[in-house]
Amino acid sequence: MLTNPTDSWSQLSPRQAIDLQRQLASQVIQRDDLPEIKTVAGVDVGFENRDTARAAVVVLRLADLEPLDYAIARLPVAMPYIPGLLSFRECPAILDALSRLTIRPDLLLCDGQGIAHPRRLGVASHTGLLTGLPAIGVGKSRLTGEHDAVPDRKGAWVPLEDRGEVIGAVLRTRAGVKPLYISPGHRISLATSIEYVMACLTRYRLPETTRWADGVASARGQRWLERLKNLPGAG
């Protein structure tokens, strides 16, 4: 695990943050370096106001996608909103939430980008490097890159390319709905990233990991938390 640098992030200028992203991007592992995956965790961050991030992590059992553990953390943001630097706002709260879990997940599915980022360091890659955990970016929209049309059938995908490099996949998770933008975060390949996202799908557009984490992190959180009340989460 890398030394936690987030306490100093509020001192970074945007230019320094960009330089740090470029340095860290070279450390991202884009091949499979995975343990046996028994648990998967959804990671999402909402903002209660302009200055407070609310991170939620919900751990699911991969075999049946049942929730096992969860945690929530609220922290002041370290940096104002700047496109491309969102991980500097989100990661401190994510790390806090992860530290509160009683079950350490085998794989993270982060709401956001992995290497499908202008500097190849979205929130999933940044979180993966900071924790040492394998991570996948599951983006609801495109941040960078170009792609062809995706066939309208579940499981179909096309490459997402940027400057001649394949940086992710545009994956149709359900017919008739918008695709998701999947990219390796850390310690996982693109093909395996797609495999695990598909394994976490039920009848919805979003994988169950994302649905749970998004629900708990958002203003709708109380309804989702009611379903988790018997778990050992740190709520």
Side-chain angles (χ1 to χ4, degrees):
M1 186 181 204
L2 298 180
T3 301
N4 186 346
T6 61
D7 289 344
S8 65
W9 281 359
S10 62
Q11 308 302 315
L12 293 176
S13 69
R15 173 52 57 191
Q16 288 171 323
I18 288 170
D19 289 343
L20 179 57
Q21 283 182 326
R22 289 180 172 137
Q23 294 170 27
L24 292 176
S26 65
Q27 301 175 29
V28 171
I29 297 171
Q30 297 183 41
R31 66 179 185 279
D32 291 333
D33 178 26
L34 302 170
E36 181 180 3
I37 305 297
K38 295 182 178 180
T39 57
V40 290
V43 179
D44 194 14
V45 180
F47 293 89
E48 296 184 344
N49 53 56
R50 186 174 61 181
D51 300 317
T52 304
R54 172 186 169 116
V57 182
V58 182
V59 181
L60 309 180
R61 185 166 46 226
L62 179 61
D64 56 9
L65 301 177
E66 284 297 308
L68 301 173
D69 192 12
Y70 78 98
I72 296 169
R74 298 172 179 86
L75 285 180
V77 296
M79 185 176 290
Y81 174 75
I82 301 171
L85 297 179
L86 192 60
S87 65
F88 289 91
R89 287 170 62 82
E90 296 189 348
C91 280
I94 291 172
L95 295 181
D96 193 348
L98 286 167
S99 74
R100 297 169 184 260
L101 293 171
T102 59
I103 297 173
R104 181 175 171 86
D106 299 315
L107 176 64
L108 305 178
L109 280 75
C110 299
D111 182 22
Q113 311 298 335
I115 66 166
H117 179 278
R119 291 171 293 280
R120 309 299 184 253
L121 198 87
V123 66
S125 296
H126 210 159
T127 301
L129 282 173
L130 289 168
T131 62
L133 290 170
I136 300 169
V138 182
K140 301 183 185 79
S141 59
R142 179 178 62 88
L143 179 61
T144 193
E146 303 293 336
H147 62 88
D148 294 333
V150 187
D152 191 21
R153 65 177 185 276
K154 183 175 180 177
W157 66 276
V158 298
L160 177 67
E161 299 184 48
D162 186 38
R163 291 170 283 173
E165 177 185 1
V166 175
I167 58 172
V170 190
L171 174 66
R172 187 82 66 184
T173 55
R174 181 181 175 187
V177 301
K178 293 180 180 180
L180 297 179
Y181 292 80
I182 310 303
S183 58
H186 184 49
R187 294 181 56 193
I188 193 166
S189 67
L190 177 58
T192 304
S193 297
I194 295 169
E195 176 185 332
Y196 278 109
V197 171
M198 292 297 297
C200 292
L201 291 173
T202 55
R203 60 190 179 90
Y204 300 98
R205 177 192 179 216
L206 299 176
E208 288 299 290
T209 42
T210 302
R211 293 185 69 244
W212 274 103
D214 177 77
V216 172
S218 72
R220 307 183 307 279
Q222 194 56 47
R223 177 172 65 87
W224 289 82
L225 286 171
E226 183 65 22
R227 300 168 64 188
L228 296 172
K229 64 183 179 182
N230 295 322
L231 297 182

